């Protein structure tokens, strides 16, 4: 296990950002931490990136404790921040060289690493461009190239897709997939974007600093029973209860909508419309998403 | 080598940035120069106000160069330094040396006015002055680092400049000598570290000046001591494990 987190808790004053979180990440996986903003992902990211010590509990990366052996951890992790960490006044090449120096590389070794990093993220023709002049997607690629200069075993990425348009997002996830395939890098990323979470091998759902569920995206979605049907209704207090009795289902009321998980949703739609004429103003069916998994477990939306 | 590479790269980075934004930074030279020309001409003693002017230039440019640390934090560059295995001491040293060099360069430019101040120009004197100016620059940037490390905005920096450093500079022997000062003011000047920076320059220009300035060796030693103490304090501050509450 390349990442081991045990009973991690963190307090900001009296607010609990992480509450007894434990999980393991296998080598070579793309592991996603999925949860709403403010759910504790960023705190967890900071602790794993050795930027801050947890209140209690422990975390190890490649066998090294993130607090007591932070220097050993830093040599083994590449960190891609949600915010930019490049010097905008320097060129791409200058940024990467500076990063290499921070890790103690110089001379031919550094030049070789620079070449590899540029080629890997297809930035060869951008070496002398000032970072200021790059697009958002290119900057993100430079950030990743920078994080990989020292060939880390684990790549930590905080919300890598946030702020990127869909085309760039897909391209980014191809890069990540390529890294895992060619170099066996383990990727641990935080996200609140479903599309990005879908592409992870394994997900840990976090809510209010606690574990909600863990598994592959397919496993998690299979926990939701069949289809999901959501109804908008004219205010009628007893309706969820009436649906429960009549169809032997467990309706949830979320944000004024009635939500039902049921096999053969299309049949249910016909029956429920007939059973309560005029009460339902809108009805829709979809296959379970990770959002449904999250809703099921927490009663709250992901975003 | 792992200690000096980060120092080198951070120092070099500040120089590159300075070169690419030089018009913005050179403005700091203006204020001390105008002060000197007006006050020096007004009192008809360009020579007396010259050491204070040099000190003020170093102080201004050192403190303002160190504002780049706040920018580094805001722009995110600091983050990648913090998660690199580079020792914090070398990180701080690189940052401090970068800013010191810039402050030093700006004060060295003012040495062209040495003849106007009425002092003889010699290579020996220039070298000595340049060395002392660098020492003062190092001390001020270390102080700047200590302030900037805890700050998220540059406004606080201006407050410190106006409320702490500028008053200290006024009672450092740059405007009036220790001999001219009265009772408690003399005592205040003696405990003011800045007095020793100004005195070091004055003693180099006029070794036998009898205005109550501390001796050269004492002045240099105090400045060096302050610089080292502040650098160590900065390193200690930067080494603390932070637990910021902006989750």
């Amino acid at each position: 296990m390349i990442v081991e987190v045990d009973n991690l808790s963190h307090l900001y004053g009296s607010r609990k950002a992480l509450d007894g979180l434990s999980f393991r990440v296998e080598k070579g996986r793309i592991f996603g931490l999925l949860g709403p903003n403010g759910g504790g992902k960023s705190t967890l990211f900071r602790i794993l990136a050795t930027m801050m010590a947890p209140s209690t509990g422990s975390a190890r990366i490649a066998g090294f404790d993130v607090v007591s052996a932070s220097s050993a951890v830093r040599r083994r992790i590449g960190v891609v921040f949600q915010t930019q960490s490049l010097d905008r006044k320097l060129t791409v090449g200058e940024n990467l060289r500076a990063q290499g120096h921070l890790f103690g590389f110089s001379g031919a070794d550094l030049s070789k690493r620079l070449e590899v990093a540029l080629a890997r993220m297809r930035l060869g023709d951008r070496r002398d461009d000032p970072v200021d002049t790059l697009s958002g997607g290119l900057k993100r690629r430079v950030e990743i190239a920078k994080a990989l200069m020292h060939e880390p075993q684990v790549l930590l990425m905080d919300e890598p897709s946030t702020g990127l348009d869909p085309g760039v997002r897909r391209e980014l996830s191809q890069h990540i997939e390529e890294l895992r395939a060619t170099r066996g890098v383990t990727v641990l990323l935080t996200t609140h974007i479903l599309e990005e979470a879908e592409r992870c091998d394994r997900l840990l759902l976090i809510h209010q600093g606690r574990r909600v569920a863990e598994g592959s995206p397919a496993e998690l979605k299979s926990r939701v029973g069949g289809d999901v049907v959501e109804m908008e209704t004219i205010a009628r207090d007893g309706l969820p209860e009436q649906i429960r009795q009549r169809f032997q289902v467990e309706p949830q009321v979320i944000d004024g909508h009635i939500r039902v998980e049921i096999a053969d949703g299309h049949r249910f739609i016909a029956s429920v419309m007939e059973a309560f004429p005029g009460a339902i103003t809108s009805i829709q069916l979809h296959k379970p998403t990770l959002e449904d998994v999250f809703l099921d477990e927490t009663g709250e939306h992901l975003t | 080598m792992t200690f000096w590479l980060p120092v080198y790269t951070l120092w070099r980075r500040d120089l590159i940035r300075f070169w690419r934004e030089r018009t913005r930074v050179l403005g700091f030279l203006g204020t001390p120069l105008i002060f000197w020309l007006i006050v020096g001409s007004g009192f008809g003693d360009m020579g007396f106000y010259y050491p204070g002017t040099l000190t003020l230039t170093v102080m201004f440019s050192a403190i303002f160069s160190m504002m780049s640390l706040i920018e580094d934090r805001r722009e995110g560059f600091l983050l990648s330094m913090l998660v690199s295995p580079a020792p914090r001491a070398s990180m701080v040293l690189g940052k401090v040396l970068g800013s010191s060099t810039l402050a030093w360069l700006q004060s060295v430019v003012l040495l062209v006015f040495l003849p106007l101040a009425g002092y003889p120009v010699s290579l020996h004197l220039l070298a000595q002055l340049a060395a002392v100016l660098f020492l003062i620059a190092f001390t001020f940037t270390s102080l700047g680092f200590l302030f900037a490390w805890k700050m998220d905005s540059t406004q606080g920096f201006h407050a410190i400049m106006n409320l702490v450093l500028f008053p200290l500079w006024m009672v450092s022997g740059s405007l009036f000598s220790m001999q001219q000062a009265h009772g408690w003011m003399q005592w205040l000047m003696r405990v003011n570290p800045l007095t020793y920076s100004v005195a070091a320059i004055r003693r180099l220009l006029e070794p036998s000046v009898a205005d109550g300035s501390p001796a050269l060796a004492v002045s240099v030693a105090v400045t060096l001591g302050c610089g080292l103490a502040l650098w160590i304090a900065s390193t200690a501050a930067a080494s603390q494990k932070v637990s910021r509450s902006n989750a």
Side-chain angles (χ1 to χ4, degrees), chain A residues 12 84 87 89 101 146, chain B residues 9 13 17 20 75 80:
Chain A
Y12 293 112
Q84 181 167 267
D87 187 326
K89 299 287 174 217
H101 285 148
K146 176 177 161 179
Chain B
T9 206
R13 172 176 168 262
R17 283 176 68 102
R20 290 182 188 162
E75 287 177 11
S80 46

Side-chain angles (χ1 to χ4, degrees), chain A:
Chain A
M1 291 292 160
I2 190 107
V3 179
E4 300 158 287
V5 172
D6 285 306
N7 206 17
L8 208 61
S9 293
H10 194 76
L11 292 161
Y12 293 112
S14 62
R15 192 173 74 79
K16 230 174 194 174
L18 288 179
D19 192 0
L21 201 64
S22 302
F23 64 92
R24 298 272 183 279
V25 180
E26 240 177 88
K27 195 173 178 312
R29 291 297 175 93
I30 298 179
F31 190 93
L33 298 161
L34 178 66
N37 287 329
K41 284 176 300 169
S42 295
T43 304
L44 179 58
F45 178 85
R46 287 209 185 111
I47 292 170
L48 292 176
T50 73
M51 295 171 72
M52 134 181 142
S55 304
T56 57
S58 71
R60 282 176 308 283
I61 294 181
F64 295 97
D65 187 274
V66 295
V67 178
S68 61
S70 56
S71 187
V73 171
R74 285 171 188 159
R75 294 197 167 278
R76 289 165 179 82
I77 58 172
V79 186
V80 180
F81 296 95
Q82 185 181 351
T83 51
Q84 181 167 267
S85 79
L86 301 168
D87 187 326
R88 300 183 303 181
K89 299 287 174 217
L90 301 190
T91 65
V92 171
E94 283 167 343
N95 265 292
L96 295 180
R97 278 190 173 274
Q99 175 77 358
H101 285 148
L102 290 179
F103 278 81
F105 305 129
S106 59
D109 177 33
L110 178 57
S111 299
K112 179 137 187 299
R113 285 174 186 272
L114 179 63
E115 293 303 327
V116 171
L118 289 171
R120 183 184 286 148
M121 296 318 279
R122 302 203 183 84
L123 290 162
D125 51 340
R126 300 288 184 174
R127 176 202 295 248
D128 298 321
D129 290 7
V131 167
D132 246 349
T133 64
L134 302 180
S135 69
L138 273 170
K139 276 184 196 153
R140 203 57 64 99
R141 259 152 69 188
V142 181
E143 294 275 2
I144 297 174
K146 176 177 161 179
L148 293 172
M149 282 291 283
H150 60 290
E151 305 284 331
Q153 299 174 28
V154 179
L155 192 58
L156 293 176
M157 307 177 92
D158 195 12
E159 302 274 350
S161 288
T162 301
L164 298 181
D165 50 56
V168 181
R169 272 184 202 172
R170 268 191 297 280
E171 193 194 32
L172 182 73
S173 61
Q174 278 163 15
H175 283 301
I176 296 174
E177 183 53 52
E178 224 175 277
L179 280 174
R180 185 260 295 274
T182 56
R183 298 209 35 251
V185 177
T186 308
V187 180
L188 198 153
L189 56 86
T190 68
T191 186
H192 67 277
I193 297 169
L194 293 177
E195 188 197 349
E196 187 167 52
E198 288 280 355
R199 285 193 284 254
C200 295
D201 301 323
R202 205 171 167 78
L203 289 170
L204 176 70
L205 272 55
I206 310 182
H207 181 57
Q208 294 175 347
R210 281 188 222 106
R211 159 207 292 266
V212 169
E214 191 184 337
S216 71
E219 266 166 36
L220 290 170
K221 283 185 290 187
S222 72
R223 292 187 191 181
V224 180
D227 301 323
V228 179
V229 175
E230 281 181 337
M231 289 163 269
E232 271 179 63
T233 61
I234 322 180
R236 204 202 270 188
D237 284 345
L239 194 58
E241 184 53 35
Q242 287 168 336
I243 294 176
R244 180 201 315 276
Q245 284 171 5
R246 182 146 183 161
F247 296 96
Q248 275 82 53
V249 291
E250 290 297 321
Q252 290 171 286
V253 180
I254 293 160
D255 296 341
H257 293 215
I258 301 176
R259 184 173 170 281
V260 173
E261 289 170 9
I262 191 163
D264 294 328
H266 57 285
R267 291 215 179 89
F268 170 75
I269 289 181
S271 320
V272 79
M273 292 295 283
E274 245 170 79
F276 304 102
I280 297 162
T281 55
S282 147
I283 189 160
Q284 59 156 320
L285 173 149
H286 62 255
K287 294 290 165 196
T289 63
L290 291 167
E291 170 97 51
D292 292 308
V293 180
F294 197 81
L295 266 171
D296 266 2
E297 304 282 346
T298 66
E300 281 176 41
H301 284 284
L302 201 49
T303 44

Side-chain angles (χ1 to χ4, degrees), chain B residues 8-124:
Chain B
Y8 162 76
T9 206
L10 294 175
W11 170 80
R12 185 168 173 275
R13 172 176 168 262
D14 269 352
L15 259 61
I16 293 176
R17 283 176 68 102
F18 175 76
W19 182 246
R20 290 182 188 162
E21 305 172 80
R22 52 193 175 277
T23 44
R24 196 183 65 121
V25 195
L26 283 174
F28 299 136
L29 275 177
T31 314
L33 197 58
I34 289 166
F35 156 82
W36 183 54
L37 292 175
I38 292 175
V39 175
S41 311
F43 284 103
D45 192 350
M46 301 302 273
F48 178 78
Y49 297 102
Y50 192 59
T53 303
L54 286 175
T55 311
L56 188 64
T57 307
V58 181
M59 184 168 91
F60 266 146
S61 40
I63 293 292
F64 283 107
S65 298
M66 214 12 117
M67 281 208 282
S68 67
L69 183 66
I70 296 173
E71 280 168 38
D72 286 349
R73 187 188 289 287
R74 217 169 33 203
E75 287 177 11
F77 185 81
L78 189 66
L79 289 174
S80 46
M81 292 201 266
L82 294 179
V83 297
S84 83
R88 289 292 154 90
S90 76
M91 204 190 89
V92 176
L93 188 62
K95 199 67 206 162
V96 166
L97 283 182
S99 292
S100 313
T101 305
L102 298 180
W104 175 73
L105 282 173
Q106 291 173 73
S107 64
V108 162
V109 168
L110 285 195
L111 290 182
V112 301
F113 294 107
L114 213 49
L116 188 60
Y119 296 109
V121 183
S122 75
L123 212 57
H124 184 64

Side-chain angles (χ1 to χ4, degrees), chain B residues 146-166:
Chain B
L146 204 53
F147 288 140
W149 183 252
K150 296 283 174 197
M151 282 185 196
D152 288 328
S153 81
T154 49
Q155 279 125 350
F157 235 67
H158 290 279
I160 283 165
M161 189 80 207
N162 290 329
L163 297 176
V164 181
L165 293 177
F166 201 65

